[in-house]
Amino acid sequence: MIPTDQLTDPAVRAFVTAVNSNDPSTFRGTLTPDATMSDDGSDEDLDQWAEKEIFSANGKMEVESEADDGHSLIANFHNDTWGDMRTKWRFTVDGGQVARFDTGQA
């Protein structure tokens, strides 16, 4: 596993830290105002998805590997709804914030 504080891209590092801190306000601060996302190829409402999959379900990410200058991760994701999942994450970063992320099972 890669410790969160050693992730290459600062915006991605802040995103993972906010997820693992279960802090919606800090999480939202890691994103551009118009950020978008998809889950398993389907675009989702980011705020609704984050509340359901991360914050109300105690979501946590353990990063297994990173690529593409830190913009692609393989992570073990756990939440109280689905349990443990091996997931892939792809981030588009703009101006030091996450503008889009795509996630799904790896």
Side-chain angles (χ1 to χ4, degrees):
M1 296 299 149
I2 300 173
T4 303
D5 64 354
Q6 293 182 17
L7 294 173
T8 302
D9 187 275
V12 173
R13 184 170 55 241
F15 177 98
V16 174
T17 299
V19 167
N20 290 342
S21 297
N22 204 319
D23 184 341
S25 177
T26 300
F27 174 80
R28 198 64 178 115
T30 70
L31 307 171
T32 62
D34 59 348
T36 60
M37 60 87 55
S38 71
D39 186 1
D40 282 328
S42 297
D43 281 354
E44 302 284 344
D45 179 284
L46 193 154
D47 292 324
Q48 289 177 3
W49 183 91
E51 178 57 33
K52 178 182 175 191
E53 300 294 338
I54 299 171
F55 303 113
S56 66
N58 298 307
K60 301 283 186 245
M61 296 173 71
E62 284 188 312
V63 178
E64 180 181 307
S65 64
E66 66 175 354
D68 301 323
D69 296 320
H71 294 149
S72 294
L73 305 178
I74 298 294
N76 295 317
F77 184 79
H78 174 89
N79 71 22
D80 294 343
T81 304
W82 305 108
D84 296 315
M85 298 171 278
R86 189 167 189 259
T87 56
K88 59 186 176 189
W89 299 75
R90 174 76 182 141
F91 296 89
T92 302
V93 174
D94 182 19
Q97 292 180 297
V98 173
R100 179 171 178 87
F101 67 93
D102 301 284
T103 188
Q105 294 200 33

